[in-house]
C-alpha cells in the first residue's frame, strides 16, 4: 500500500510529508526531488522507480503530489486517490497553491490522517469529512453522543457521501448535460472518427435522504419499453433514442440495479457532483462542417479558402466560435478577408485565428486568405496540420435528452412535484479537426 | 497571521524558544508551538530534542492539539523508544473514551508507534476496539492489526487477533469488512502458506454482498482479494463474474481495472463455447475504452494494462483501433504507449488507417516518439504482408525527408523487411546507399552493413562501401564491428577474386588487434572456415536465414499470465513480476491464471504452482531471455550486456573457443574436439546474423546453444541432461534474484574475505569472493570507502594467471563512492586472458585503480569456480580415461570430519559442477566416480570413498595435469564442509 505521501512546491521544497510505512525514509523525499522535480528532461512517466522505491506523481499548477511505495500496490488506485486528495483539498480551501497549502497544513495533516490509514484509502467524501474536520479545528469536543455516533455511522455507512438531517426551504436541483464533441474529418468531408464524451453534472439542494431516479433516452431502455407498450410509438421514439457505448457512474448510483434493469437510481450527495460520464459514437450531430480549400500558387504563395456551415436548428445560437488555420513556417505575410467575425494572422502560433462571437443554425460563413511564403531550400514538405475549431452550442450533440429526474422522500413532506428542477445542455468542441 | 508563518522560522536558538513555549501555561501558545514543531518536522529539521515537551501536551481535551501531538509521536517514537512509553497511558485511556472518534484516533495512532516495548501494552486496548460497538472504531482497529503484524507478527498470532480479524469479514458494516479484507490480504502475503484468507464459497458470497455497499476504495480491496480466489468449477466462476460485471460502470478507474482483473482471470475457467463467455468478452471492451478518457496518469496505467490484455486476448479490442490514435496534446508517455498498442492491434482490416496515422506521427517533434512511429511502420510491414509494399514506400518517403534520426530508424526497419520478404524490395537499395554517410548510430550502421553484405552481388561498389567503414574499424561499436566482419566475409564468398585483400584485412583486424572476445572468436571461426573448406564456409555463411517472427516484444507467456493476475498494480505498469521490484518476502510468490496450465493445480497453493511453473518452463523459453535479461539489467545485478557472457550456460563456447584458439592445454577425451564437422545440420542456422545484432545474442548463438555444443563433439547423450539442470537453475535465479532467496541451488562460493585492507590502500577496503552463477564466473566484491574523500573512476586489471582469468567487462562502479559508503560489485570474468602458471596455482594478482592511486593485492580463487557445466563424462569414456592416465598422476587425499551420506555428497558436489557418473557399494563403502572439467578443457577424474559411520573420506584424483589436484582437493573440502 501507499507508504508515504509528499507535497512539494515547484522548487522541490517539501510542504507536506506524511509517512505511513516504515520502509519509506526521509531519503525518499530527496530521491524524488532530485530525480523527478529537478530532472533536466521532460518527465517521461508518471510512475518512477528509484532504487526499488516507486513514486507516483500528479501535478496541480506548480504543486507536485507524490505517493511513495515499496510494494506492488494497485497503481490505478494510487492515482485515483491522488486525484481525490486534490478534490478534497479544493473543496476545503480552494485552489491548490503553495500559499493555501502552507496556510492549511494542519488541516491537511488531519485529512491525511483520516483518509489514508496505513496507506489504505478510507472514506474520502468531502460531504462526510466536513462533518467532523473543519478549518476552524475539529468539531467533536462538545457534541452530544447522538451526534458523534451519527458522524461515525455516516463515515462508515452505506451512504458515506451524504449526511442525515439536511434541510432546505426550497428543494431545488440543477442538471447540466455537458458534452464535448470530437471529430476528425478528411478534406473531402468524410468523417474519419467522431465521438462525444459527455458528463451529467448535478447540483442538488434537497432535504432529507431523497431517493432519485434519472431517466434519459437510452436506446436500450426505450426499446425495452417499446416492446411492452404500443408498437407504433416504439418505432417513433426509437429514432429519438441514442445508443450509449459506455457509461460510468458516481459511487452513489446502484450499479447492480443498472446492470440488471438499466435504471439509474441513487441517493445524491449534497451540492455539486458528477452523476455520470458517457460516450457515444453513433448518429452524432456535428454542429459545424468545415470545408477547406488550399491551393498552392507557385512556390511562394498559398491561397486558402475555408467555409464553415452551421448544422443545427436556426433558432439556436452557437457561441465562442474560433477557427484555427495553420500556416507554413516560412510564411512572410498574410492577407485575410472574412465575411463575419474577426480574423488575424498570429505569427507566433503559425496560424490564422478567425473568431466569431455568435452564429445561428443553418448559416454559412467564409474566410479567404493569401499567404505569401519565403522561398526556402528546405526539402521537407509542409505537413499541413489540420484546421481545428472551437465552439459552444446550447444542445447535446449526442442527441441525449433527459426524460425525467424523479425525487422521492417518504419521510419528509415534499413530493416530486415540489422540487424545482432545471436542465441545461451545453455542447462544446473537444478536438474538432478537419484535415486540409 | 496565517499558518504559513510557521514555515519561515529559521533563526538560531529556536529549539530553545519552542521548549519554553511548549511548557507554557496558555493553551493557545502551546498549540501554536506544536504547530511550529510540526512545520519544522515537515521541512526536514530535526526536532526530536523536544520529545518530552511535546508528549507532555498530549493529555488535553483539545482534539486538534491531540492530533498534532500524535503526528509528532508517530515520527519520532522510534528514535526515542524509552520516552515513547510515556504515551502509553494516554492511549489506553483514550481507547475507553466515550467519543468514538477519539477511540478510533487512539487505536489508529497506537499502531503507528513502532516501538517493540510498547506493542505489548497495546494488545488489550486493540482487542477491545476490535469488538467496539461503533463501526468506525472497528474499521480502524482492523487496519491496526495489520500494523501490529508488521511490527511483531508473532505477537499478533499469539494474541489471536487473526481470528478476530477473520470474524470481521462477517461484520454487518461494509467498511469494516473491506478493511478487514485489506488487512488480511496484506498479512497473508507475508505468510504464503497459511490459510489465512480462507476463501470459500460462503466468504466469497459475503464479500460479493459487501462489494455492493462499501466505498469505492473498499470495493478495490475486495476485488483485489477476490482475484486470488480460484472457483471450483465454471458455474461458480460464471456466477461470480455476473456479480462483478456491474463494477465495470464505476466512475473510479481503479474499481474498473480490478474488476477487469477478476473477470480476465475467471474467464479462463469458462468454456469458450458458452454464450456467457462471448457476452463477457463484449462487455469488457467499452469500459477499457472509457478508461482512456480519464486523466493522463490513469490513462498511462490503463494503457500499460491494455497492452497486456491485448496480448492475452486480442479479440476484446480488435475493433477499437481508433481510440488508440494519438492525440496532439497527449503527454508523451501516453503517446508512446498508444503506439505500442496500435502495432499490436494492426491487422489487414485496419492497416490502411493505421499507416496513415503512423505517417502523420513520423513528422512530429518528439524524437523518441518519431523513432517509435517509424519502427512501427516496419512492424506493420512484417505483420501484414499485404501492406508491406505501402509500408516500404512510406519509409522511402520518410528517408527523403533527410531528417537524420528518421533515416536511421527507417534503415533499421527496412533491414527487417528484407529479411521477412527476401528478393522483393531490393530495388530500394540504391536509395539506402545514398544515405550511407549520414548514419552515425551503431544500430543503423550495422543494419546498413548487413544490407550491403547480404546483397553484395547486386551492389556494384559493395567493396568500396565496406572498405570505407573499415577505416575506422576500431572506433566502431562491437555491434558494427561484428556486422562488418560478417558482411565482408559474405562479400568475399560472393566475389572472391576482387576482395581477397579486404577480407584479410578485416580478419586480422578482428583477430589480432581486438580485445573483444566475441569479435576475435568470430574472426577465428571465419578464418578457419575459409582456410580449411571454402565450400563449407559458403554453406555456413550464406545459408538461408530462418524467418523472423511477426510479433516482437511479446511478453513471455508465463510472465504474461502472471502479469494478468496483477492487473491494475505496479507489476502491470512495469511489466515485471513483483519479485523484480519488491523487497523481502512480500509478493514474491508467482501468481498464475487458473486452469490454463491444463492441470488441476490450484492457485491457492502458490508455492507448489510456482515451482511447477518453473520446472515446466522448457529450455525452449530461453530465447526470450531478452526480457528476463532486461529485468536483470534493471536490477543492477549484472553489468550491461555489452560487457560479456550472460547467464545462459555458455560452456560450449568456452570449450569451442579454446580449441579454436589452440589454447586447450589438454585434449583428453577421445572424442574429437576438432571443428571439421561444420556441416552439422544445425550450424547453418546459427551463423548468419540474427535479426537483432546484440552481442549478447551472438554470444549465445555461437556457443551457448546445445546444438552447437553437440556439433563440437561433446558427448551428445549427456548434453541434454547436464544442460537441463543449469538451465532451470538459471531460470530460478532469474526469477528469484529479486527476492534474494534463489541461490540455494547455486555453486559453492566461499564467504567474503578482506583482500585489501583499508590501511594499505588509502582508505579503500576491498573484500570479496568468487562465485559461479549460471555458468558465469564472477568476482563479487564489496568496495568500502573508509577515507574522508569521495572515490571515483574505478578500474580493475588482473595479472596473467594460471587459467587466463580476465575481467569480461569494466568494473561497474557507476556512482562515486562517498565516505563511509560501501558498494557491491559483481565483475563477470572470462577465461580467455593471457596465461601464466602461478604459484600457488589459484593465485590471482589484481590491480585496482581509482582517482587516488593504484593498489595491488593478490587473492586465491576456489578452483571449483572453473568447473564447467558440461563436465559430465560418459561412463565408457571415464573408464578408458581413468586407465589411460598414468598412475603417477594419481594423488590421494583425506577429507576429515564430514558427516554426509553419499547422496548428499554427490548432490552438493553436483551443484558445483562435480558430476557423479557412477556409484558402487563395496563392503559398506560407497565409491563415487566423479568427473569435472576446467574451463581450459582439463578433465579431472575422481574416486571418492565414503564409509558409513566414518567421518573421514578418501578422495583419489587423476588428471593429466597433476598440478591441479591439490587445488581440486581443497575445493572438495570447501564444498563438502560448507
Amino acid at each position: 500500500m501507499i507508504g508515504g505521501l509528499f507535497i512539494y512546491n515547484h522548487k522541490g521544497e517539501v510542504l507536506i510529508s506524511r509517512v505511513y510505512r516504515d520502509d519509506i525514509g526521509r531519503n525518499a523525499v530527496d530521491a524524488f526531488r532530485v530525480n523527478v522535480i529537478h530532472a533536466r528532461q521532460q518527465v517521461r512517466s508518471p510512475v518512477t522507480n528509484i532504487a526499488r522505491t516507486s513514486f507516483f506523481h500528479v501535478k496541480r499548477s506548480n504543486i507536485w503530489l507524490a505517493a511513495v511505495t515499496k510494494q506492488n500496490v494497485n497503481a490505478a488506485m494510487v492515482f485515483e486517490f491522488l486525484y481525490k486528495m486534490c478534490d478534497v483539498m479544493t473543496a476545503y480551501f480552494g485552489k491548490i497553491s503553495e500559499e493555501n497549502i502552507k496556510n492549511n497544513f494542519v488541516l491537511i495533516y488531519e485529512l491525511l490522517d483520516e483518509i489514508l490509514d496505513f496507506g489504505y484509502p478510507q472514506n474520502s467524501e468531502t460531504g462526510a469529512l466536513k462533518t467532523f474536520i473543519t478549518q476552524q479545528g475539529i468539531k467533536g469536543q462538545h457534541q452530544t453522543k447522538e451526534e458523534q455516533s451519527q458522524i461515525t455511522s455516516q463515515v462508515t455507512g452505506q451512504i458515506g457521501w451524504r449526511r442525515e438531517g439536511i434541510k432546505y426551504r426550497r428543494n431545488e436541483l440543477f442538471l447540466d448535460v455537458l458534452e464535448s464533441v470530437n471529430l476528425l474529418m478528411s478534406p473531402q468531408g468524410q468523417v474519419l472518427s467522431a465521438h462525444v464524451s459527455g458528463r451529467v453534472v448535478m447540483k442538488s439542494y434537497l432535504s432529507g435522504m431523497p431517493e432519485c431516479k434519472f431517466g434519459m433516452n437510452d436506446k436500450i431502455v426505450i426499446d425495452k419499453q417499446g416492446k411492452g407498450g404500443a408498437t407504433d410509438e416504439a418505432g417513433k421514439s426509437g429514432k429519438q433514442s441514442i445508443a450509449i457505448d459506455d457509461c460510468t457512474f458516481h459511487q452513489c448510483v446502484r450499479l447492480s440495479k443498472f446492470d440488471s434493469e438499466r435504471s439509474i437510481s441513487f441517493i445524491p450527495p449534497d451540492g455539486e457532483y458528477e452523476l455520470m460520464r458517457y460516450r457515444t459514437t453513433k448518429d452524432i450531430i456535428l454542429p459545424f462542417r468545415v470545408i477547406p480549400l488550399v491551393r498552392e500558387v507557385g512556390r511562394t504563395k498559398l491561397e486558402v479558402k475555408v467555409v464553415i456551415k452551421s448544422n443545427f436548428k436556426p433558432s439556436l445560437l452557437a457561441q465562442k466560435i474560433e477557427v484555427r488555420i495553420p500556416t507554413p513556417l516560412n510564411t512572410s505575410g498574410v492577407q485575410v478577408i472574412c465575411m463575419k467575425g474577426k480574423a488575424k494572422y498570429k505569427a507566433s502560433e503559425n496560424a490564422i485565428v478567425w473568431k466569431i462571437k455568435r452564429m445561428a443554425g443553418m448559416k454559412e460563413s467564409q474566410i479567404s486568405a493569401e499567404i505569401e511564403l519565403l522561398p526556402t531550400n528546405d526539402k521537407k514538405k509542409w505537413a499541413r496540420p489540420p484546421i481545428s475549431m472551437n465552439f459552444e452550442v446550447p444542445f447535446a450533440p449526442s442527441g441525449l435528452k433527459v426524460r425525467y429526474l424523479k425525487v422521492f422522500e417518504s419521510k419528509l413532506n415534499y413530493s416530486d412535484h415540489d422540487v424545482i428542477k432545471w436542465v441545461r445542455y451545453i455542447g462544446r468542441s473537444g478536438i474538432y479537426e478537419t484535415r486540409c | 497571521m496565517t499558518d504559513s508563518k510557521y514555515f519561515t522560522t529559521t533563526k538560531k536558538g529556536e529549539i530553545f524558544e519552542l521548549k519554553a513555549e511548549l511548557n507554557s501555561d496558555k493553551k493557545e501558545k502551546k498549540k501554536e508551538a506544536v504547530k511550529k514543531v510540526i512545520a519544522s518536522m515537515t521541512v526536514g529539521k530535526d526536532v526530536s530534542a523536544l520529545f518530552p515537551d511535546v508528549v507532555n501536551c498530549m493529555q488535553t481535551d483539545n482534539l486538534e492539539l491531540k492530533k498534532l501531538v500524535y503526528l509528532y509521536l508517530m515520527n519520532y517514537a522510534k528514535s526515542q523508544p524509552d520516552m515513547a512509553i510515556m504515551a502509553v497511558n494516554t492511549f489506553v485511556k483514550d481507547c475507553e473514551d466515550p467519543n468514538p472518534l477519539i477511540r478510533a484516533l487512539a487505536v489508529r495512532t497506537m499502531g503507528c508507534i513502532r516501538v517493540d516495548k510498547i506493542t505489548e501494552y497495546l494488545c488489550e486496548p486493540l482487542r477491545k476496539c476490535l469488538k467496539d460497538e461503533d463501526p468506525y472504531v472497528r474499521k480502524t482497529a482492523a487496519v491496526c492489526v495489520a500494523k501490529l503484524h508488521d511490527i511483531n507478527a508473532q505477537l499478533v498470532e499469539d494474541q489471536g487477533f487473526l481470528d478476530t480479524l477473520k470474524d470481521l469479514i462477517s461484520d454487518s458494516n461494509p467498511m469494516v469488512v473491506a478493511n478487514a479484507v485489506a488487512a488480511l490480504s496484506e498479512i497473508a502475503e507475508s505468510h504464503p502458506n497459511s490459510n489465512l484468507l480462507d476463501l470459500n464459497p460462503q466468504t466469497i458470497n459475503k464479500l460479493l454482498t459487501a462489494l455492493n455497499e462499501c466505498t469505492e476504495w473498499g470495493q478495490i480491496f475486495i476485488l483485489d482479494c477476490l482475484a486470488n480466489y480460484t472457483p471450483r468449477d465454471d458455474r461458480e466462476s460464471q456466477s461470480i463474474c455476473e456479480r462483478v460485471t456491474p463494477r465495470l460502470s464505476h466512475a473510479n478507474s481503479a474499481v474498473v481495472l480490478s474488476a477487469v482483473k477478476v473477470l480476465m482471470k475467471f474467464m479462463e475457467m469458462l468454456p469458450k463455447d458458452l454464450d456467457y463467455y462471448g457476452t463477457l468478452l463484449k462487455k469488457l471492451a467499452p469500459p477499457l475504452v472509457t478508461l482512456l478518457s480519464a486523466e493522463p496518469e490513469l490513462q498511462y496505467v490503463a494503457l500499460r494494462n491494455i497492452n497486456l490484455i491485448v496480448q492475452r486476448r486480442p479479440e476484446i479490442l480488435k475493433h477499437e483501433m481508433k481510440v488508440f490514435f494519438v492525440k496532439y496534446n497527449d503527454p508523451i508517455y501516453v503517446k508512446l504507449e498508444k503506439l505500442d498498442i496500435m502495432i499490436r492491434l494492426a491487422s489487414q482490416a485496419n492497416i490502411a488507417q493505421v499507416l496513415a496515422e503512423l505517417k502523420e506521427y513520423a513528422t512530429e517533434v518528439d524524437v523518441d516518439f518519431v523513432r517509435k512511429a517509424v519502427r512501427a511502420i516496419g512492424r506493420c510491414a512484417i505483420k501484414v504482408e499485404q501492406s508491406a509494399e505501402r509500408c516500404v514506400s512510406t519509409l522511402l518517403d520518410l528517408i527523403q525527408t533527410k531528417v537524420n534520426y528518421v533515416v536511421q530508424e527507417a534503415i533499421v526497419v527496412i533491414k527487417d523487411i528484407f529479411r521477412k520478404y527476401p528478393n522483393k524490395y531490393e530495388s530500394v537499395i540504391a536509395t539506402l546507399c545514398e544515405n550511407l554517410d549520414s548514419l552515425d548510430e551503431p544500430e543503423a550502421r550495422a543494419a546498413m552493413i548487413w544490407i550491403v553484405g547480404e546483397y553484395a552481388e547486386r551492389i556494384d561498389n559493395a567493396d568500396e562501401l565496406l572498405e570505407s567503414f573499415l577505416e575506422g574499424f576500431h572506433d566502431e561499436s562491437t555491434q558494427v564491428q561484428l556486422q562488418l566482419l560478417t558482411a565482408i566475409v559474405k562479400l568475399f564468398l560472393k566475389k572472391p577474386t576482387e576482395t581477397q585483400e579486404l577480407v584479410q584485412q578485416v580478419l586480422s583486424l578482428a583477430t589480432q588487434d581486438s580485445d573483444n572476445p566475441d569479435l576475435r572468436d568470430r574472426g577465428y571461426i571465419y578464418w578457419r572456415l575459409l582456410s580449411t573448406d571454402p565450400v563449407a564456409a559458403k554453406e555456413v555463411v550464406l545459408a538461408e536465414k530462418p524467418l523472423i517472427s511477426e510479433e516482437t516484444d511479446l511478453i513471455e507467456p508465463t510472465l504474461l499470465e502472471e502479469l494478468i493476475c496483477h492487473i491494475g498494480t505496479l507489476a502491470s505498469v512495469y511489466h515485471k513480476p513483483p519479485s523484480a521490484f519488491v523487497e523481502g518476502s512480500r509478493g514474491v510468490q508467482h501468481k498464475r491464471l487458473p486452469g490454463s496450465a491444463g492441470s488441476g493445480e490450484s492457485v491457492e497453493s502458490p508455492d507448489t504452482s510456482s515451482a511447477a511453473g518453473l520446472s515446466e518452463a522448457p529450455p525452449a523459453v530461453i530465447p526470450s531471455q531478452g526480457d528476463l535479461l532486461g529485468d536483470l539489467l534493471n536490477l543492477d545485478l549484472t553489468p550491461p550486456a555489452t560487457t560479456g557472457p550472460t547467464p545462459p550456460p555458455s560452456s560450449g563456447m568456452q570449450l569451442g573457443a579454446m580449441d579454436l584458439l589452440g589454447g586447450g592445454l589438454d585434449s583428453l577425451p577421445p572424442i574429437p574436439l576438432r571443428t571439421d564437422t561444420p556441416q552439422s545440420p544445425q550450424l547453418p542456422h546459427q551463423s548468419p546474423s540474427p535479426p537483432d545484432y546484440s552481442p549478447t545474442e551472438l554470444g549465445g548463438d555461437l556457443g551457448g546453444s546445445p546444438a552447437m555444443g553437440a556439433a563440437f563433439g561433446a558427448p551428445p547423450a549427456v548434453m541434454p541432461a547436464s544442460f537441463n539442470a543449469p538451465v532451470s537453475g538459471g531460470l530460478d535465479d532469474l526469477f528469484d534474484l529479486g527476492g534474494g532467496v534463489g541461490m540455494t541451488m547455486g555453486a559453492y562460493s566461499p564467504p567474503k574475505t578482506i583482500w585489501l585492507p583499508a590501511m594499505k590502500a588509502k582508505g579503500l577496503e576491498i573484500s570479496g569472493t568468487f562465485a559461479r552463477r549460471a555458468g558465469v564466473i564472477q568476482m563479487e566484491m564489496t568496495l568500502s570507502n573508509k577515507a574522508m574523500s569521495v572515490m571515483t573512476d574505478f578500474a580493475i586489471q588482473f595479472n596473467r594467471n594460471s587459467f587466463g582469468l580476465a575481467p569480461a567487462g569494466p568494473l561497474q562502479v557507476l556512482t562515486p563512492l562517498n565516505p563511509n559508503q560501501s558498494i557491491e560489485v559483481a565483475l563477470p570474468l572470462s577465461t580467455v586472458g593471457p596465461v601464466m602458471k602461478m604459484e600457488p596455482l589459484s593465485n590471482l594478482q589484481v590491480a585496482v585503480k581509482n582517482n587516488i592511486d593504484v593498489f595491488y593485492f593478490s587473492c586465491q580463487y576456489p578452483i571449483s569456480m572453473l568447473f564447467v557445466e558440461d563436465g559430465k563424462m560418459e561412463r565408457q569414456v571415464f573408464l578408458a580415461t581413468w586407465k589411460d592416465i598414468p598412475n603417477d598422476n594419481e594423488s590421494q587425499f583425506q577429507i576429515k570430519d564430514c558427516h554426509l551420506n553419499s547422496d548428499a555428497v554427490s548432490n552438493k558436489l553436483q551443484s558445483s559442477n562435480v558430476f557423479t557418473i557412477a556409484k558402487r557399494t563395496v563392503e559398506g563403502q560407497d565409491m563415487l566416480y566423479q568427473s569435472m572439467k576446467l574451463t581450459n578443457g582439463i578433465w579431472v577424474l575422481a574416486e571418492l570413498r565414503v564409509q558409513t559411520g566414518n567421518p573421514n573420506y578418501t578422495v583419489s584424483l587423476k588428471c593429466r595435469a597433476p598440478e591441479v589436484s591439490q587445488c581440486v582437493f581443497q575445493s572438495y573440502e570447501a564444498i563438502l564442509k560448507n
Side-chain angles (χ1 to χ4, degrees), chain B residues 42-331:
Chain B
T42 301
V43 281
K45 277 185 213 155
D46 183 16
V47 283
S48 57
L50 297 167
F51 199 90
D53 310 282
V54 178
V55 173
N56 272 338
C57 305
M58 196 169 159
Q59 296 201 357
T60 168
D61 304 333
N62 186 318
L63 197 52
E64 192 183 10
L65 182 57
K66 196 169 221 133
K67 282 193 174 185
L68 289 171
V69 174
Y70 280 177
L71 192 65
Y72 178 90
L73 259 180
M74 286 186 255
N75 243 328
Y76 287 113
K78 230 187 153 188
S79 58
Q80 313 254 346
D82 296 325
M83 304 265 217
I85 293 193
M86 289 163 48
V88 170
N89 264 337
T90 321
F91 284 131
V92 176
K93 219 173 85 196
D94 280 359
C95 283
E96 309 269 341
D97 196 281
N99 185 343
L101 290 172
I102 293 187
R103 292 203 296 275
L105 177 65
V107 78
R108 187 164 63 213
T109 316
M110 248 163 47
C112 298
I113 296 186
R114 306 179 53 91
V115 177
D116 269 334
K117 284 184 201 163
I118 292 191
T119 42
E120 283 169 41
Y121 297 100
L122 303 183
C123 292
E124 276 322 300
L126 176 58
R127 198 188 313 281
K128 264 183 214 154
C129 289
L130 279 168
K131 306 222 160 115
D132 199 286
E133 52 169 20
D134 195 294
Y136 184 74
V137 181
R138 288 202 302 275
K139 72 115 187 160
T140 315
V143 177
C144 189
V145 175
K147 293 179 187 169
L148 201 57
H149 185 269
D150 195 35
I151 308 168
N152 191 342
Q154 195 56 47
L155 184 73
V156 171
E157 279 164 48
D158 296 346
Q159 295 278 339
F161 285 142
L162 295 182
D163 294 324
T164 324
L165 203 52
K166 272 192 223 167
D167 294 343
L168 288 184
I169 290 191
S170 318
D171 199 282
S172 57
N173 184 293
M175 195 155 173
V176 177
V177 178
N179 276 2
V181 166
L184 276 174
S185 303
E186 179 165 342
I187 295 170
E189 248 180 47
S190 46
H191 288 268
N193 296 320
S194 70
N195 204 12
L196 250 187
L197 261 170
D198 180 24
L199 292 179
N200 53 45
Q202 287 79 40
T203 39
I204 291 294
N205 198 30
K206 282 176 199 157
L207 294 185
L208 286 168
T209 312
L211 187 62
N212 287 326
E213 295 166 352
C214 61
T215 65
E216 43 193 335
W217 315 115
Q219 296 185 15
I220 299 169
F221 306 153
I222 292 177
L223 287 168
D224 284 352
C225 172
L226 270 181
N228 291 324
Y229 176 65
T230 309
R232 286 164 311 173
D233 50 27
D234 51 326
R235 288 245 293 290
E236 192 187 1
S237 191
Q238 177 173 346
S239 81
I240 296 176
C241 286
E242 278 166 357
R243 293 178 69 177
V244 167
T245 32
R247 300 296 121 199
L248 293 174
S249 330
H250 202 287
N252 187 315
S253 306
V255 175
V256 177
L257 266 179
S258 291
V260 169
K261 165 162 62 192
V262 175
L263 296 174
M264 280 294 283
K265 203 172 156 191
F266 289 9
M267 220 165 153
E268 298 285 337
M269 295 191 64
L270 298 177
K272 288 209 160 52
D273 46 356
L274 196 71
D275 282 347
Y276 182 71
Y277 179 84
T279 324
L280 198 53
L281 273 184
K282 266 186 221 139
K283 275 193 175 168
L284 275 172
L288 287 174
V289 172
T290 300
L291 289 176
L292 297 184
S293 48
E295 287 86 344
E297 291 88 2
L298 267 175
Q299 277 188 49
Y300 174 74
V301 174
L303 285 164
R304 292 293 283 178
N305 279 290
I306 289 173
N307 199 329
L308 297 173
I309 294 168
V310 164
Q311 286 183 57
R312 180 79 196 167
R313 298 197 177 273
E315 64 270 31
I316 295 179
L317 286 167
K318 64 180 177 205
H319 299 303
E320 303 288 349
M321 173 61 97
K322 274 186 187 170
V323 297
F324 296 103
F325 285 174
V326 169
K327 285 181 198 150
Y328 178 73
N329 43 3
D330 281 337

Side-chain angles (χ1 to χ4, degrees), chain B residues 612-726:
Chain B
L614 287 177
S615 57
E616 264 169 32
V621 184
I622 290 288
S624 62
Q625 54 184 254
D627 266 348
L628 298 169
L629 278 180
D631 281 353
L632 271 180
L633 292 179
N634 288 339
L635 293 180
D636 289 334
L637 285 175
T638 53
T642 46
T643 53
T646 30
S650 52
S651 45
M653 173 171 76
Q654 281 145 346
L655 159 65
M658 288 313 281
D659 190 56
L660 282 167
L661 290 165
L665 297 173
D666 197 345
S667 54
L668 192 145
I671 295 169
L673 259 173
R674 299 273 153 256
T675 52
D676 50 3
T677 51
Q679 289 93 339
S680 142
Q682 289 95 338
L683 198 51
H685 293 288
Q686 308 288 335
S687 180
S689 358
D692 183 22
Y693 299 95
S694 78
T696 341
E697 213 166 316
L698 274 174
D701 270 350
L702 284 174
S705 76
M708 190 72 175
F712 275 120
V718 183
M719 284 308 290
S722 66
F723 253 86
N724 250 339

Side-chain angles (χ1 to χ4, degrees), chain A residues 162-163 165-174 202-212 266-271 405-409 412 414-415 418-421:
Chain A
R162 186 179 181 93
R163 66 192 166 88
I166 299 173
K167 280 210 175 67
Y168 287 102
R169 218 193 294 155
R170 219 157 93 113
N171 287 302
E172 205 171 14
L173 66 84
F174 301 84
M202 183 171 170
K203 264 179 249 165
S204 71
Y205 305 104
L206 302 170
S207 313
M209 296 297 256
E211 176 74 42
C212 297
F266 54 95
I267 296 173
D270 194 39
L405 200 146
K406 292 176 194 154
V407 182
F408 311 95
E409 169 53 281
L412 297 173
Y414 72 92
S415 71
D418 304 328
V419 179
I420 305 158
K421 301 170 190 170

Side-chain angles (χ1 to χ4, degrees), chain B residues 770-814:
Chain B
F770 293 87
R772 189 180 183 90
R773 304 225 190 271
V776 181
I777 306 169
Q778 286 192 348
M779 184 165 172
E780 297 176 345
M781 288 177 284
T782 309
L783 308 180
S784 321
N785 182 352
K786 310 230 154 149
M788 301 300 289
S789 55
V790 176
M791 296 180 178
T792 54
D793 306 325
F794 285 94
I796 194 164
Q797 228 172 25
F798 293 175
N799 199 355
R800 283 197 238 188
N801 52 68
S802 315
F803 294 94
L805 282 177
L811 194 60
Q812 298 287 322
V813 186
L814 300 172

